[in-house]
Amino acid sequence: MSIHTVSPRFVGRATELGALGRALDRARSGSASTVLVGGEAGVGKTRLIKEFAERVGDARELVGHCLELGTDGLPFAPFTAVLRRLVRDIGHEGVAALVPGGNTRGLARLLPDFGEPEGDGAEARARLFELVLGLLEHLAEQRPVLMVIEDAHWADRSTRDLLSFLVRYQRTDVPLLIVVTYRTDELHRTHPLRPLLAELGRVDWVTRIELGRLTRKEVVAQAASILEHEPSPVAVDEIYARSEGNPLFVEALLSEGGGGDSLPESLRDLLLASVERLPEETQELMRVASAGGQRIEHELLLAVTGLDDAALSRALRPAVAGNVLVVDGEGYAFRHALIREALHDDLLPGEHSRLHTRFAEALERDLAILPAPRGAIELAHHWHAAHDALWGLVSAWKAAAAARKSAAYDEQLRMLSRVLELWSKVPDAAERIGADRVQVLRAAAAVAFNAGEFDRGISLASAALEEVDPVADPVRTALLLRLRGLLRYDLGRQGHLEDLEEAAKLVPADPPTKLRAQIAESLARMCHTRERWPDKIAYAEEAVRIARAAGDGATEAHALTTLAWGKFTFGDVEAGLVKFAEAREIAMADKAYNALMRTAISESDRLEGAGWHEEAVKVARRGIADAEEYGLARTSGTFLAINLAEPLVSLGRWDEALEVIEHALDLAPPAPYRASLQGFVGDIALWRGDLDKAEAMFAAQQSVIKRGTYRDQHMLPVAAREIDLLTARGRLEEAAQAAMRTLREQDLAASPRYSWPVLVLCALLGGAVLEEARAQAQWMAAEGVLQEAERLTFNAVAAGDQDSWDTAAQAWAGLRQPYQEARALAAAARAAQAAGARKDAAERVTRARELAERLGARPLLEELDSFARRARIAVADEPEPQGPQFGLTARELEVLRLLTDGKSNREIGAELFISVKTVSVHVSNILSKLGVSSRGEAAATAHRTGVFEDSAG
């Protein structure tokens, strides 16, 4: 027999340990890092991670295991374990110090110790995900963090979704290393982990390690360590042949065969042999424990077995000593999942049902044995495994409620589906759960909506509609129609407006009800076309009126935002701002975070479209700060980054825009968001003369646009960029073809805001393209000062005289858009020179050069210098800047102002929506330019010299 059950010496794996070490080094140096470790069962994944953890120095180690429940995993199980460990380490107060505002209630979805969670729906899930990531990142700012998620092949969808979020959205400037292990032999073709691994494999900072079997030489070393002597060559040959280099099987073979004699015939026999050597009392206990799962609490075993504490401990001790079980916190775990699986599979059908019934009955007596929501979900599992239809249905209904509280919507949908499957087997099902079948169908359809299972949600809502009588029960019918309409809308299916309009007929406007307000608000949002625009406004006004009377703040705020957008034009901004302000105030009072974010997005976009760029920047920044505070920075916050970058580009604050975009892209936003951000990067690259980068960004954006159906706000800027790029490359014939294609295929009159820039670029090509553009422009409205500036520019291109270009330049100057102003001035200078007005030409070239130099717009600068040389125009030098600003850029002044207010680099980064690393670079530059060595000296110098007073003037 062997001396040790497990090799005291860690054999091989130097390459894998090196890869993990390099990943941790990358994380320490400020690069996002994740490692996926795969390998067959028993190959040594857990041992590898354990050995690595002993080498991580000052890093904090947090480990969570995915727990198997039948064919499914326990929702969020590894993250609950991580959070529980963290609470043990630093306490509830320590955790609270790491989350925004110290509000830990959102974490109650993982650990009930934190109180009662707020809100529900997809927004609650998004806030939970951001809260967990923010907690880990702030923890890592104190010292490096290694988070290990074991056994991801058992992860339920909620766990997989959170894991995906953490990996894709982790910041690049904090030392956080995420390691995930999984069994490769479990991943059949349709296993749900496979697409996640493929998705994560495409992320730049993710490394994959496939842990292979040991070589023959390594098996010899492992065996020698276990036996404390080297086995004979014959024994080695047999052990290596039978184990094929799997370390767990080597251990089991040595343990059973005494180094090579009488080896068991099958893997199952091999795994059960370690159990069969235990006393009969302990063997029976192991069979009972196998029904409880891979990990089982001591208190639950007491309740199931009926033993007292001393007797249970006495019976368990041989299993721990024999390395079948290991102590795991307040309970036990099988040393390897394969041992539990072999035991459980060895149960007879009657034993299987009886054992699961015993677990279920124990939990029914005291559900608090297990932490919520785990108790309710495990109870449902055991009744289902016991094949008890009645209690399987009742427990599934209760488990669905527990899963909802945890925002585990996929588990909730699974439990509700089980209720529906068992419905026909339980005659008094409705009485048992206090809900009829239609209520269950409606609940399942609503959960499918939250889980993103839109097709399934439509089927469930349709099934419920077939069972309800619209005459006898109009309100319930309307609820189902609205739900199906929303599902169809999000899936892009026809019939969504018909569903909602039918729902509106069933619910009268008087007396006012929340349902009628919600139906009207949904209709207002969905009426997009010009033909339905009057309906949009009418529905929005109705929704505001009824929601206010019914006391539904969230719906009222949404309706006010829709009304501000739909009713008030770009030329009537002030009136729209009143509605936006009202919507924001109501949303904040009602804690309607989704409505608050939508208001910020809509208002900043409306301001930018009206040419109110500075105001758009302020609103977008405020919205980003709100998103950070409410735990939505990586969802709503990244969308608002688009609305912040766009006005910064308009204002010529290109470097600031690039910092915002870089930070937003670091958060790995969804593809459409990323494409919009890359479009702005491409614009700046083009205007600065980096055509290769501009083309790369255009290609990246175009690849996204081609894969879906997008509205004019996406399609027309892409069309403009294609024309601009081809023109810059001198491929004028191709540019003209692209321009004519856009002019003839797009309904430009439907979106003047995005169409005017396209028309200007088309007009600049001249010839037939100009004539086609003229024909389109005569029907085009120009709403607000920004569109008027575009219209004036178009007219100037068509007319070509100095006065027209001067008028356009003045319009752009009034909007504070320096690049467009410089382009108009350059054209005005050429027109003035052609008319013999050399002095006018010189003045305009001089001003245009000042603007172009400030922007770094090299192609325009070269164009102006070339024109000045040809026209023999002397260009005046740019005046020296006045005031004691020490050569600080506008962005550095902004950082200095916040630094002077006592804000940390992280707080400055959050306020300006740039990375902490970028803030650090700015601070270094500021200290260098001011000639000081500390932040305190920098603040004192700024106050003493009046830097801010000068910059304000």
Side-chain angles (χ1 to χ4, degrees):
M1 296 294 292
S2 64
I3 294 175
H4 304 285
T5 54
V6 178
S7 170
R9 177 187 167 198
F10 184 57
V11 175
R13 310 309 192 198
T15 300
E16 292 83 359
L17 273 176
L20 287 166
R22 288 190 295 276
L24 183 59
D25 289 342
R26 287 195 300 274
R28 287 183 190 276
S29 65
S31 296
S33 199
T34 295
V35 181
L36 309 176
V37 181
E40 67 181 354
V43 83
K45 300 179 291 298
T46 299
R47 180 70 183 269
L48 171 68
I49 300 305
K50 181 180 176 184
E51 293 289 333
F52 172 62
E54 292 174 359
R55 294 164 165 79
V56 297
D58 64 334
R60 183 191 299 276
E61 182 192 6
L62 298 170
V63 180
H65 294 80
C66 300
L67 299 182
E68 181 189 22
L69 276 180
T71 58
D72 302 286
L74 191 70
F76 297 128
F79 301 107
T80 297
V82 163
L83 188 56
R84 187 175 287 115
R85 166 66 185 273
L86 197 55
V87 169
R88 283 202 301 268
D89 288 351
I90 65 176
H92 288 84
E93 296 78 10
V95 172
L98 297 171
V99 300
N103 184 355
T104 58
R105 287 177 64 184
L107 294 174
R109 300 187 189 282
L110 300 181
L111 203 59
D113 307 15
F114 288 105
E116 194 68 23
E118 294 177 311
D120 199 4
E123 175 191 309
R125 186 180 175 93
R127 293 182 66 204
L128 171 64
F129 284 18
E130 295 220 21
L131 195 60
V132 172
L133 181 53
L135 174 64
L136 290 170
E137 289 175 341
H138 293 159
L139 188 67
E141 288 171 357
Q142 299 174 356
R143 72 183 204 199
V145 170
L146 165 65
M147 185 177 74
V148 181
I149 303 299
E150 291 249 47
D151 300 324
H153 52 280
W154 285 330
D156 67 296
R157 182 174 164 185
S158 293
T159 299
R160 294 195 303 272
D161 287 348
L162 178 50
L163 178 60
S164 172
F165 183 90
L166 296 178
V167 172
R168 290 185 298 111
Y169 286 87
Q170 65 183 115
R171 269 167 45 196
T172 59
D173 54 357
V174 293
L176 170 64
L177 171 61
I178 300 173
V179 177
V180 182
T181 71
Y182 60 95
R183 274 161 53 172
T184 52
D185 49 327
E186 290 281 338
L187 303 188
H188 51 77
R189 190 173 57 84
T190 59
H191 195 287
L193 187 65
R194 290 179 71 97
L196 175 61
L197 293 174
E199 171 199 331
L200 296 183
R202 292 190 287 270
V203 177
D204 291 342
W205 51 83
V206 172
T207 304
R208 289 184 72 164
I209 295 175
E210 290 292 333
L211 203 58
R213 297 175 179 179
L214 298 178
T215 63
R216 188 179 191 283
K217 183 178 180 181
E218 289 167 339
V219 167
V220 171
Q222 181 190 10
S225 179
I226 291 171
L227 299 170
E228 294 192 354
H229 67 80
E230 190 166 311
S232 68
V234 173
V236 168
D237 287 343
E238 189 164 4
I239 290 168
Y240 184 65
R242 294 290 306 278
S243 71
E244 297 182 336
N246 184 295
L248 176 68
F249 299 162
V250 171
E251 292 168 0
L253 287 164
L254 289 172
S255 179
E256 181 61 23
D261 300 326
S262 306
L263 293 177
E265 289 301 317
S266 70
L267 173 60
R268 174 184 161 283
D269 292 341
L270 185 63
L271 292 170
L272 290 174
S274 60
V275 178
E276 290 168 353
R277 287 196 304 273
L278 300 173
E280 182 59 38
E281 177 188 32
T282 305
Q283 289 186 45
E284 176 59 25
L285 192 55
M286 291 304 94
R287 283 190 285 273
V288 172
S290 74
Q294 174 64 16
R295 285 170 175 74
I296 185 167
E297 274 66 15
H298 182 81
E299 293 295 321
L300 181 56
L301 265 182
L302 279 173
V304 171
T305 60
L307 298 172
D308 61 32
D309 193 75
L312 179 64
S313 296
R314 187 171 58 251
L316 284 171
R317 192 165 282 113
V320 174
N323 214 25
V324 173
L325 286 186
V326 294
V327 176
D328 183 24
E330 298 299 315
Y332 310 92
F334 284 91
R335 182 172 72 85
H336 200 284
L338 289 177
I339 299 173
R340 188 204 74 82
E341 290 166 17
L343 276 167
H344 194 253
D345 291 346
D346 201 45
L347 295 174
L348 297 172
E351 284 183 297
H352 182 278
S353 295
R354 284 195 299 274
L355 285 176
H356 281 288
T357 298
R358 285 168 64 182
F359 272 95
E361 289 171 344
L363 288 170
E364 288 281 9
R365 288 192 297 270
D366 183 7
L367 197 60
I369 290 176
L370 295 177
R374 181 179 166 191
I377 293 171
E378 288 208 16
L379 176 60
H381 161 67
H382 287 300
W383 280 127
H384 186 64
H387 307 294
D388 189 306
L390 169 58
W391 295 111
L393 180 143
V394 172
S395 61
W397 178 252
K398 292 177 180 178
R404 174 182 177 178
K405 189 173 180 179
S406 295
Y409 299 124
D410 303 286
E411 177 69 10
Q412 185 186 359
L413 181 58
R414 191 165 66 82
M415 290 294 103
L416 290 172
S417 298
R418 182 178 296 171
V419 171
L420 292 168
E421 288 166 11
L422 295 172
W423 195 268
S424 62
K425 298 179 181 179
V426 181
D428 58 345
E431 290 76 15
R432 290 284 185 172
I433 66 172
D436 64 19
R437 180 176 159 81
V438 171
Q439 285 173 278
V440 179
L441 283 165
R442 182 186 156 220
V447 176
F449 182 85
N450 287 334
E453 298 276 356
F454 299 135
D455 261 328
R456 192 170 175 192
I458 290 169
S459 298
L460 288 162
S462 297
L465 281 165
E466 288 177 7
E467 297 189 21
V468 70
D469 182 351
V471 176
D473 201 346
V475 171
R476 190 146 63 154
T477 305
L479 282 165
L480 289 163
L481 284 166
R482 176 177 178 266
L483 178 55
R484 189 172 69 179
L486 293 173
L487 286 159
R488 282 174 164 171
Y489 179 73
D490 278 1
L491 198 58
R493 293 275 179 84
Q494 295 296 315
H496 55 275
L497 280 173
E498 290 81 355
D499 276 348
L500 285 159
E501 287 171 337
E502 186 63 29
K505 293 175 186 175
L506 294 169
V507 182
D510 190 32
T513 60
K514 290 185 178 182
L515 177 57
R516 175 66 189 215
Q518 290 164 357
I519 292 169
E521 193 278 323
S522 298
L523 279 164
R525 275 205 242 185
M526 293 182 191
C527 291
H528 292 311
T529 62
R530 281 183 287 174
E531 297 78 21
R532 297 299 305 261
W533 209 260
D535 296 330
K536 182 185 195 75
I537 296 168
Y539 282 129
E541 290 175 334
E542 176 189 317
V544 169
R545 185 180 67 255
I546 297 176
R548 187 169 296 163
D552 186 351
T555 299
E556 184 182 357
H558 275 300
L560 281 165
T561 297
T562 302
L563 187 60
W565 183 262
K567 186 173 183 179
F568 302 103
T569 67
F570 287 116
D572 192 13
V573 181
E574 292 90 343
L577 292 181
V578 172
K579 294 297 181 187
F580 281 126
E582 194 178 347
R584 175 178 167 77
E585 184 179 347
I586 292 168
M588 289 189 72
D590 208 58
K591 295 185 177 179
Y593 304 125
N594 183 273
L596 185 66
M597 292 296 97
R598 181 168 171 252
T599 299
I601 289 167
S602 297
E603 184 179 5
S604 55
D605 186 54
R606 174 60 56 158
L607 287 165
E608 173 59 15
W612 293 36
H613 308 306
E614 290 286 2
E615 290 77 5
V617 168
K618 291 174 185 174
V619 171
R621 282 230 168 99
R622 185 183 65 201
I624 288 169
D626 287 341
E628 180 84 20
E629 180 180 352
Y630 300 129
L632 297 168
R634 287 169 172 81
T635 47
S636 298
T638 52
F639 192 98
L640 278 160
I642 300 170
N643 288 14
L644 175 57
E646 187 174 6
L648 288 173
V649 172
S650 298
L651 290 164
R653 291 156 61 177
W654 294 351
D655 291 326
E656 289 181 53
L658 290 173
E659 288 175 358
V660 168
I661 292 167
E662 179 186 25
H663 181 51
L665 292 174
D666 279 347
L667 298 177
Y673 298 7
R674 184 177 70 247
S676 293
L677 292 164
Q678 289 170 327
F680 297 135
V681 175
D683 291 339
I684 295 169
L686 176 63
W687 298 336
R688 284 182 164 170
D690 188 347
L691 298 187
D692 290 342
K693 185 173 184 178
E695 285 184 342
M697 291 297 101
F698 174 73
Q701 187 183 27
Q702 196 176 42
S703 70
V704 173
I705 296 297
K706 284 180 175 177
R707 291 199 299 267
T709 302
Y710 293 91
R711 293 160 66 182
D712 290 345
Q713 67 194 70
H714 294 101
M715 300 300 296
L716 291 175
V718 169
R721 287 177 182 121
E722 181 181 17
I723 297 166
D724 214 2
L725 264 171
L726 291 169
T727 302
R729 285 291 193 190
R731 294 155 60 181
L732 299 182
E733 187 175 338
E734 291 175 65
Q737 290 171 357
M740 291 297 274
R741 186 169 60 248
T742 300
L743 290 170
R744 289 169 177 169
E745 293 179 3
Q746 298 292 333
D747 180 10
L748 299 183
S751 302
R753 172 181 173 183
Y754 300 101
S755 298
W756 277 114
V758 174
L759 287 172
V760 169
L761 289 169
C762 290
L764 287 166
L765 292 168
V769 180
L770 171 57
E771 293 309 311
E772 182 67 27
R774 269 186 172 141
Q776 296 259 16
Q778 66 179 327
W779 305 108
M780 188 81 69
E783 190 181 284
V785 290
L786 179 57
Q787 290 180 31
E788 179 60 17
E790 295 281 10
R791 188 187 69 80
L792 290 170
T793 304
F794 179 85
N795 290 343
V797 174
D801 62 276
Q802 181 186 337
D803 287 345
S804 297
W805 279 114
D806 279 345
T807 302
Q810 288 164 11
W812 291 119
L815 289 165
R816 298 181 63 185
Q817 291 191 228
Y819 184 71
Q820 287 77 7
E821 181 188 353
R823 298 285 310 184
L825 286 168
R830 288 192 294 272
Q833 176 68 15
R838 289 177 56 78
K839 182 180 178 183
D840 287 353
E843 289 174 355
R844 284 150 183 76
V845 167
T846 299
R847 173 60 181 156
R849 283 194 86 262
E850 290 174 10
L851 295 170
E853 277 191 319
R854 194 181 308 158
L855 294 166
R858 185 170 53 81
L860 178 56
L861 203 56
E862 291 172 355
E863 178 188 319
L864 289 164
D865 288 343
S866 175
F867 168 73
R869 284 193 302 273
R870 291 196 312 273
R872 295 177 181 167
I873 294 173
V875 179
D877 291 334
E878 184 177 357
E880 288 296 317
Q882 300 298 311
Q885 293 193 33
F886 303 95
L888 296 170
T889 66
R891 175 59 104 196
E892 288 165 353
L893 281 168
E894 243 181 331
V895 172
L896 178 58
R897 191 188 302 275
L898 295 171
L899 181 153
T900 304
D901 289 341
K903 293 188 184 293
S904 67
N905 283 7
R906 184 165 65 81
E907 290 170 327
I908 294 170
E911 185 151 335
L912 300 180
F913 200 74
I914 58 179
S915 69
V916 177
K917 191 183 295 184
T918 301
V919 175
S920 180
V921 171
H922 283 312
V923 171
S924 297
N925 290 341
I926 290 166
L927 298 182
S928 175
K929 289 180 180 181
L930 295 183
V932 297
S933 58
S934 71
R935 299 164 78 95
E937 288 181 69
T941 301
H943 284 306
R944 186 179 67 253
T945 58
V947 166
F948 300 132
E949 290 83 350
D950 181 76
S951 65

